Amino acid sequence: MDSKKQMTKHEIIRCERCGAPFECKANSFSKCQCSTVQLSLNEVQYVSELYDGCLCASCLLIIQQEYRVSMGLI
């Protein structure tokens, strides 16, 4: 048996919105691609009302923009 510590592999999942595959790092959130998008609490709630699963960073940015436009913030 190999004595080296095995690294935990992250799951490849598909974005619920666009279907693009990406590596989910929920067990290492600060390294996950979704952590690059800074959402306000209201934006997180808006996203969670629309989708149940994980979304890619690109879709998170698009939904964030849609929310801000709909609220007259930009």
Side-chain angles (χ1 to χ4, degrees), residues 47-71:
V47 171
S48 68
E49 289 172 1
L50 298 173
Y51 300 97
D52 293 324
C54 290
L55 302 174
C56 68
S58 296
C59 284
L60 286 174
L61 288 170
I62 291 168
I63 295 168
Q64 180 184 53
Q65 183 79 4
E66 289 173 359
Y67 173 79
R68 291 179 177 183
V69 168
S70 72
M71 297 304 291

Side-chain angles (χ1 to χ4, degrees), residues 5-57:
K5 183 178 178 183
Q6 290 186 345
M7 304 249 328
T8 303
K9 294 194 179 210
H10 301 290
E11 184 178 5
I12 302 296
I13 62 173
R14 293 200 172 270
C15 174
E16 187 177 329
R17 182 177 179 271
C18 73
F22 63 92
E23 187 175 24
C24 179
K25 297 181 181 178
N27 62 347
S28 184
F29 176 74
S30 64
K31 296 178 184 175
C32 192
Q33 55 87 39
C34 66
S35 69
T36 62
V37 181
Q38 300 300 309
L39 299 174
S40 70
L41 184 58
N42 289 338
E43 291 166 346
V44 169
Q45 183 176 355
Y46 178 74
V47 171
S48 68
E49 289 172 1
L50 298 173
Y51 300 97
D52 293 324
C54 290
L55 302 174
C56 68

